Amino acid sequence: MTLRQKPESEALRPNPHVIEANGLNKAYGEFQALADISFTVGSGQFVTVVGPSGCGKSTLLQVLAGLVPASGGSLELDGEAVAGPRPDKVGVVFQEAWLLPWKTAIENIEFPLALRGVQKPMRREKAHACLELVGLSDFAHHYPHELSGGMRQRIAIARGLVQEPRLLLMDEPFAALDEQTRTRMGAELLRIWERTRPTVLFITHGLTEAIYLADVVFVMAARPGRIIERIQIDLPRPRTIDMIGTEAFGRLRNRIWHLIAGD
């Protein structure tokens, strides 16, 4: 068994909106964390979100995941209002891998399916497919403490993909890794995304990472958290590390830097 790949006929159709946010607000008492956030994300798009610390990037992701309710506005996933977590449609990968230490790699990947009552033969088959996808088939029965940081994060990505989500939300998943591993993980994530084509919304502090991965970059500002610019990334795919040194890439990075610094 392999994970579902996007059919060619689907790729040729106009992309429907997977996410549609209109006037989203989030307040904690008198503190306004998010204000008047409106955007759409099309099927199969890779969107990154950047902005200064404290601008509400992680809060936005939590609202999109249904983990915390919005204080106002509307949010739809595939045309349905988001009223809480949707593990059948939304996978989430956090900065920390948060693997269960008493479970092996494959058992950690299976865990969301086990919670849904999927029978062991089916969930084991799906978990093996995800392990192969992230290049860790030989480590199925290793425990988290036996894996490197990058390997643990790949297991977390596999766990996010095992339910074949419509939307994959990623909250700075590579922030704790060294620069070389982080760059390699970005390339690995693009390889996985190009095979399976979920819609991805990826939070990052890294401007280079944001541009390298994305079709679209949302730039946020703080006090209150809001989207101040939507930047289309017209670099060709597949992306290569060499693109980072190009003039076009540099112009995009400078534009985003000045937006953040000037706010």
Side-chain angles (χ1 to χ4, degrees):
M1 179 180 178
T2 58
L3 290 179
R4 177 182 60 84
Q5 297 191 23
K6 190 174 184 180
E8 185 175 351
S9 58
E10 181 181 341
L12 294 174
R13 293 201 303 267
N15 281 345
H17 293 155
V18 175
I19 308 172
E20 186 165 357
N22 287 295
L24 277 186
N25 292 275
K26 179 61 184 176
Y28 295 97
E30 295 184 359
F31 173 67
Q32 191 74 30
L34 301 174
D36 196 25
I37 289 184
S38 300
F39 65 88
T40 59
V41 178
S43 177
Q45 277 194 312
F46 200 124
V47 173
T48 57
V49 182
V50 297
S53 295
C55 71
K57 297 186 297 295
S58 292
T59 299
L60 175 61
L61 182 137
Q62 291 167 11
V63 171
L64 295 176
L67 298 175
V68 298
S71 303
S74 65
L75 175 64
E76 294 184 349
L77 175 66
D78 279 340
E80 299 178 0
V82 174
R86 290 291 306 269
D88 57 323
K89 284 194 171 187
V90 181
V92 185
V93 181
F94 295 102
Q95 182 174 336
E96 297 293 334
W98 298 116
L99 302 181
L100 300 174
W102 60 89
K103 289 185 178 289
T104 63
I106 196 164
E107 289 169 343
N108 268 283
I109 296 170
E110 289 178 341
F111 189 61
L113 298 177
L115 290 177
R116 290 178 55 196
V118 176
Q119 294 298 307
K120 187 170 183 177
M122 175 59 72
R123 68 178 191 250
R124 183 57 55 101
E125 188 176 6
K126 285 179 174 286
H128 270 301
C130 285
L131 268 174
E132 182 179 356
L133 190 64
V134 299
L136 291 176
S137 295
D138 293 340
F139 295 88
H141 302 293
H142 285 60
Y143 288 89
H145 73 272
E146 298 174 311
L147 304 172
S148 69
M151 293 166 78
R152 288 194 296 272
Q153 204 61 349
R154 279 196 273 171
I155 295 299
I157 292 170
R159 184 177 57 192
L161 290 169
V162 75
Q163 297 187 88
E164 301 181 50
R166 181 81 165 124
L167 173 65
L168 183 62
L169 300 172
M170 309 186 79
D171 191 2
E172 299 191 65
F174 308 145
L177 304 177
D178 63 82
E179 184 176 0
Q180 183 179 8
T181 304
R182 183 171 181 158
T183 301
R184 188 166 63 248
M185 288 294 295
E188 184 76 4
L189 176 60
L190 286 183
R191 180 188 65 80
I192 294 167
W193 173 75
E194 284 162 1
R195 283 189 59 184
T196 59
R197 283 301 174 105
T199 302
V200 177
L201 190 138
F202 185 106
I203 304 290
T204 179
H205 274 104
L207 304 190
T208 297
E209 183 173 65
I211 297 164
Y212 176 68
L213 295 174
D215 297 312
V216 176
V217 177
F218 292 158
V219 183
M220 290 188 67
R223 297 182 300 276
R226 62 201 187 280
I227 295 174
I228 57 173
E229 193 79 44
R230 179 189 186 278
I231 298 177
Q232 189 76 31
I233 305 300
D234 291 325
L235 299 172
R237 293 192 185 275
R239 301 278 163 82
T240 66
I241 298 299
D242 290 340
M243 288 181 185
I244 294 173
T246 64
E247 184 178 349
F249 197 102
R251 284 197 301 268
L252 286 165
R253 193 182 189 285
N254 287 343
R255 180 181 174 190
I256 296 171
W257 169 257
H258 286 296
L259 282 168
I260 294 172
D263 179 68

